[in-house]
Structures are given as structure tokens and as C-alpha cells.
Amino acid sequence: MTPTRPTGTQDLLPDSGRAPLNLRAQAFEHIRSVARHVLTHAGAARIETPMFEPTDLVQRGVGDGSDIVRKEMFSVSHAGSHGDAVLRPEGTAGVMRAYLQNGLSQRPSPVRLWTDGPMFRAERPQKGRLRQFHQVDYEVIGSAEPALDAEAVALMWDVITALGLTGARIRLGSVGAPRDREDYSAYLRDMLTPHAARLSPDSQARLERSPMRILDSKDSGDQALLTELAPRPLLERLGPDARAHFDQVCSLLRAWDMPFDIDPGIVRGLDYYTQTAWEVHHGGVGAKSALGGGGRYDGLAAALGGPPTPAVGWALGIERVLIAMDTEDLDVPLTGGPLLYVAALGPEHVALAGRAARLGRAVGACELAARPIKPSAALGHALRRGARVIGLVGDNEAERAEITLKELASGRQITIPITDLPGALEALA
Ligand code: AMP
């Protein structure tokens, strides 16, 4: 029986140019390189953190009551240990842990970091929702300036537009300062408690500790009750500091011509968010339409046991971006075949053909035939691979350490010392 991959995962295949973008390894590489370009030009440095982290770090970072922690964690165990580590469900907690543990606070503030890689959540798989998915993450740590929130939104937008997407929209909101959230939680609790019996069991459990999470509930009964009671959004109940912060972010985004809608309904699922919160949506992705989201998380460092450290950041879902690009008929540049396909005409020439390929790789992709073949067979292989030049090494060439090159498009043929190969390929590349 053919082996199969785990539910909710994808194989990213070598490009054919025909498969959907979210199944093509090269499309992932393209997004990473666009993100790298945009983010490094903004002063962000690359960081890499482990794919698994201590369970309690993720619990504290993502929030004990969140769906991710309650239902979606993949635990990592090995002989002699059980459940003390989990596959990371998102990148921020690990990056903040690395910042605290490695003393990055000693660097000039703010510290701008970026990373990308797989994240793991045991969700029910559907279009745009996987158990292993990939994110680009950008995090700015060490400053509470609203300009950094605005810059973070703008950089996320720049990555999306640099990919050619035109159908995305930014939705911007604020979850306020911790004090505003406490007040708002009390307001919601007072409003919902008399109707508690009509709430889903999940929401009833949240009523005491995190009533704001009820706003995020997917249960239709919960949503009907919320529509009926129509609580005022938190955005309309911000204290003066949070209001000023939000207004400053909005005015910078307007000054930079960022197209955004104010969305009072944005409630980030994670506990450590404060102030600015945003999502970028795209109609082509379907019900799960968020390409990415971000926000300020001034409470995270302290929640992880470090000194209070303000920070803002975002995550962009690579698979969702690729689905959006497919719906807009965007493509990514294909690498194409090798520059040179090199074949030995007899077993005694494999060493020299291999040397030629190694020299040529200083200039471009050079693929070595797997075994000695006849010139006609070599030509067939080269054509199928989309090579531009074929290189042959037979008895005549071997005598003087030469190689015969044939440019497939023009049919032009030359025989040169293999030491001249890089120069000859350079002229063609
Ligand atoms: P979050 O960390 O939940 O704010 O998610 C940020 C982005 O990651 C989302 O907007 C999606 O693009 C992507 N994402 C989150 N969960 C999944 C998933 N299960 N499958 C695919 N992409 C996801």
C-alpha cells in the first residue's frame, strides 16, 4: 500500500507550473524571499527558534483558556518524558523567550526580528486550515511607540502588495490597555450573566475568567444572543491613553496611504495582546479569509517571567497567501531547467565530466548525467530537463581535458578546455 502523509499536512512539490501555488515548494520560497527583502530593508534581523518549546511557555504565551492551548497542541514526548514540550503553534512566544533568554534587550532598542517556518495546530483540516502550516513572523521588541505599530502594519501590507495581490484589505482595531480590558470584561460579564443559560458550555466556562472570548465564539446560539444584546465594542470604550495610541496609529497609516478599515470587532484570540490589533483579509480565501494578523503584545514578556517589555508583531500565513494569489491568477517565477547538462560518453570519462560540472556550478546550475550515455540520449535528457547547453566528454575531449558545448537554441557548438568552462557559461548566462 502507498504510504500517506498525516491528516492536515501537505507535500510541497517541485514546481511543474501547473499545480496550485500552495502545493509548490518554489512558491513558498518566493514568498520567503519577498518577505526577506521587505523586512531586512526595514532593519529586521533574522532569528530562528526551535520548532518545539516547553509546554508551560506556550501555555503562558498563548493563554490557558485559548482554543489553541485547550484543544490544538501537539505534545512532544520521548523515552522518559511526557508532555513537557509542544510543537510551536505560533512564533511569537518562542521569539520573545529567545529575546529574554539571550539578553537581546542589551541591543539598541527597538529590536526588529523576523523569521519564518512551520507552525502546528491540531485543528479540523479544511481549505486554508492545516495542522502544519507556515508563517512569516515579524516582531519588534522594546518600544511602545505607536509609530512602530503603524510601521508593522505597513510592512505586512508591503509584503502582500510586493507579491502582486490587489484584493486584500486591512482591518484595524484596538483591544486597549489591560485596564480597559478589565473594565470591558466586567461590562460583558454584567450583560451576559443574566442570560448565561443560553450560552454554549464553552462560553459559560469563559464567562467568569475571559468573557471577551465569548465574542469570538463560533457557536450560532452564542452569536444570536450577542446580536440580540448588542454589546458596545471595546473600541468605543477605550481609556484616553489607548484612544490616543490608536488615533496616532490611524493617522500615520493615513499619511502613508495604507488602505484600512476600522473594525471594532477585532478580538485577538491570544491573551497577551494590548492596544493595536489588526488582520488582513482576502475574499478569495473563503470562510477562513485572514491572510495574517498582528498586534501589540506589551503583556507577553512579563507573562513569560521576564521584565515588562513592550512589543508589536505579526504573522502572515503562507498557505493562505498562496491561495489568494491563485485566485488572482498570480504566479511566481519558475527557475527553469539547468544552464548545462553534462554527460560522459564512456565510463572512463565520468571523472572529467564531473569535474566540468563542478567548475560550471560557479556560474549556474549544472546537472551531471547519472551514467555514461550516447550523445543522442544525452540530447533527449537535456531537452526534457529544459537545459540551455549540453556538454559532452568523450575520447577526443578527454585527451586534452576539453569539453564540447552545444547551445540547444542556436545549435552553436564549441570545444574548449574545461578550465575555460566558467567563462564560456558566463558569456551565455
Ligand atoms: P494567528 O497566529 O492565529 O493570528 O494566525 C496568523 C495567520 O496564520 C492566519 O491569518 C493564517 O493565515 C495563518 N494560520 C493560522 N492558523 C492556520 C491553520 N491552521 N492553517 C493555515 N494557516 C493558518
Side-chain angles (χ1 to χ4, degrees), residues 68 72 89-92 119-121 123-124 126 128-135 137 156 268-270 273 279-280 288-294 314-321:
I68 294 181
E72 298 170 3
E90 51 90 53
T92 308
M119 307 293 159
F120 305 86
R121 297 181 195 174
E123 300 202 67
R124 203 161 47 79
Q126 52 178 270
R129 199 200 271 175
L130 293 151
R131 292 187 170 177
Q132 174 175 332
F133 58 98
H134 298 78
Q135 289 182 338
D137 279 279
M156 187 165 174
R268 303 293 301 167
L270 310 181
Y273 280 98
E279 288 171 359
V280 173
K288 292 256 109 200
S289 68
L291 301 182
W314 51 254
L316 194 59
I318 297 186
E319 286 83 356
R320 299 231 186 126
V321 168

Side-chain angles (χ1 to χ4, degrees), residues 319-330:
E319 286 83 356
R320 299 231 186 126
V321 168
L322 290 170
I323 292 171
M325 287 175 69
D326 257 334
T327 65
E328 292 194 20
D329 274 335
L330 297 169

